[in-house]
């Protein structure tokens, strides 16, 4: 049986890694005023410029049922089964839409995983699935392992500002005003229920913030699977990236991948958002 692995564009992987792990994606839509485009065509830099100029956030739209129907049908031309990894059901309607189409139009041929994560947290799960498939495991074994690893996917970010979260309805006005007044740079964690929660708060330049955030994360989630970790960012200074790489190398991660968040994720986190994402199930079988 040939099993395909798919996801939405919110997986935030470059073309090279999508090809390496044979992952196909279907894009979210992004609208900036009168301009509409696909996540991947519209860049975070364009979004940040639009928000700076207008004071408004771009609008993002989840993949709709018609898009899923066309996408799954195309993938099944060369595959017998699809395992689709979807953006957290607590963040977007994408998972609900994918399940609707999978159950109504492709029953028995498409399984949809609620990753309860975002960005390269989705990528970690899709890559793990691909490795299980390549090892020759059965469909049942692959699905069981994919679902088992969902709660161990650590996804978090450090933010320079909460302004975009506020504009997108994910932060109260009081919290936004307080953060700006005190020049606070918070961390955000996607917990096991698939929702986002605040972590520690920091002050100072982003390279210092990134260092403190990574120390906090490794302390909270101290059992990493060291085979792969992502450094994913909307934008970042060379100094902040170097701090992140140095800390992760010191821990002993074998593969450290840097990726840029796409337009959908970057829209809400704003510029200079940087996160580390890894499985926190090291040593487990």
């Amino acid at each position: 049986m040939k099993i395909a692995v798919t996801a939405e564009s919110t997986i935030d992987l470059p073309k090279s890694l999508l090809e390496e792990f044979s992952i196909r994606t279907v894009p979210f839509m992004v609208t900036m005023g009168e301009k509409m485009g696909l996540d991947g065509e519209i860049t975070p830099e364009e979004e940040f410029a639009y928000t700076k100029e207008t004071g408004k956030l771009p609008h993002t739209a989840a993949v709709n049922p018609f898009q899923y129907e066309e996408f799954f049908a195309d993938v099944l031309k060369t595959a017998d089964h699809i395992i689709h990894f979807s953006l957290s059901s607590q963040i977007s309607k994408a998972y609900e839409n994918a399940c609707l189409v999978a159950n109504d139009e492709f029953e028995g041929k498409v399984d949809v995983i609620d990753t309860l994560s975002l960005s390269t947290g989705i990528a970690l799960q899709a890559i793990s699935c691909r490795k299980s498939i390549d090892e020759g495991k059965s469909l049942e074994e692959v699905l069981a392992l994919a679902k088992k690893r969902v709660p161990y996917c650590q996804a978090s970010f450090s933010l320079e500002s909460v302004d975009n979260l506020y504009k997108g309805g994910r932060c109260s006005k009081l919290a936004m005003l307080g953060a700006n007044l005190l020049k606070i740079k918070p961390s955000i964690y996607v917990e096991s229920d698939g929702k986002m929660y605040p972590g520690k708060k920091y002050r100072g330049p982003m390279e210092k913030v990134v260092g403190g955030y990574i120390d906090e994360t490794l302390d909270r989630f101290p059992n990493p699977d060291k085979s792969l970790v992502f450094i994913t960012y909307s934008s970042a200074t060379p100094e902040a990236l170097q701090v992140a790489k140095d800390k992760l190398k010191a821990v002993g991660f074998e593969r450290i991948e840097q990726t840029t968040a796409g337009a959908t994720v970057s829209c809400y986190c704003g510029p200079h958002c940087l996160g580390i994402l890894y499985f926190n199930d090291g040593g487990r079988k």
Side-chain angles (χ1 to χ4, degrees):
M1 173 182 283
K2 184 175 181 182
I3 305 171
V5 177
T6 64
E8 293 102 31
S9 57
T10 47
I11 195 171
D12 287 347
L13 285 183
K15 184 178 179 181
S16 59
L17 290 180
L18 291 173
E19 291 177 349
E20 178 181 348
F21 295 105
S22 299
I23 300 168
R24 289 186 60 178
T25 61
V26 57
F28 270 52
M29 295 294 297
V30 180
T31 303
M32 299 187 299
E34 296 182 357
K35 181 178 180 179
M36 178 181 291
L38 301 176
D39 184 359
E41 293 178 352
I42 290 179
T43 67
E45 289 75 19
E46 290 179 277
E47 290 183 320
F48 301 153
Y50 172 80
T51 298
K52 185 176 181 179
E53 180 181 346
T54 66
K56 301 176 182 179
L57 280 190
H59 293 288
T60 62
V63 180
N64 63 49
F66 178 73
Q67 285 178 282
Y68 280 120
E69 185 174 348
E70 284 199 327
F71 177 67
F72 290 152
D74 188 55
V75 173
L76 287 169
K77 290 177 182 178
T78 55
D80 302 304
H81 196 90
I82 295 171
I83 302 178
H84 181 78
F85 290 83
S86 195
L87 178 64
S88 173
S89 61
Q90 301 302 308
I91 295 174
S92 167
K93 286 181 65 66
Y95 172 73
E96 180 182 334
N97 291 343
C99 286
L100 177 68
V101 173
N103 295 333
D104 289 352
E105 304 295 335
F106 302 98
E107 186 175 0
K109 292 187 176 181
V110 179
D111 282 285
V112 183
I113 304 291
D114 184 355
T115 65
L116 298 176
S117 193
L118 77 172
S119 190
T120 45
I122 302 170
L124 286 166
Q125 297 181 46
I127 289 170
S128 176
C129 179
R130 169 54 61 197
K131 290 179 178 178
S132 296
I133 294 167
D134 291 346
E135 289 168 0
K137 289 182 170 60
S138 68
L139 174 61
E140 293 74 20
E141 290 172 322
V142 170
L143 284 169
L145 181 58
K147 293 173 183 178
K148 182 180 179 181
R149 297 201 87 180
V150 169
Y152 296 103
C153 185
Q154 186 287 128
S156 58
F157 298 87
S158 56
L159 300 175
E160 183 179 56
S161 167
V162 298
D163 287 357
N164 282 39
L165 287 178
Y166 167 68
K167 288 184 174 74
R170 288 170 167 80
C171 169
S172 70
K173 184 174 184 179
L174 182 62
M176 181 272 292
L177 291 173
N180 288 345
L181 180 65
L182 298 173
K183 298 181 179 179
I184 288 172
K185 298 177 173 69
S187 57
I188 301 290
Y189 287 82
V190 183
E191 300 290 2
S192 57
D193 62 359
K195 298 178 181 179
M196 295 185 290
Y197 297 91
K200 288 186 178 180
K201 301 174 179 66
Y202 303 92
R203 291 191 180 95
M206 278 307 292
E207 54 266 28
K208 179 181 177 182
V209 171
V210 165
Y213 148 72
I214 291 178
D215 288 340
E216 172 198 2
T217 302
L218 292 169
D219 183 61
R220 286 185 61 179
F221 302 95
N223 192 34
D225 174 346
K226 296 180 182 178
S227 62
L228 175 63
V229 61
F230 284 100
I231 302 171
T232 300
Y233 53 92
S234 59
S235 61
T237 65
E239 293 80 10
L241 284 172
Q242 192 61 53
V243 168
K245 285 188 286 187
D246 288 346
K247 285 187 173 289
L248 296 174
K249 284 179 181 177
V251 172
F253 280 100
E254 298 164 17
R255 182 170 182 176
I256 301 172
E257 288 287 347
Q258 290 182 202
T259 72
T260 304
T264 299
V265 173
S266 294
C267 173
Y268 294 101
C269 64
H272 296 134
C273 168
L274 182 149
I276 59 170
L277 304 94
Y278 57 84
F279 277 121
N280 190 49
D281 59 356
R284 296 180 185 271
K285 299 294 184 182

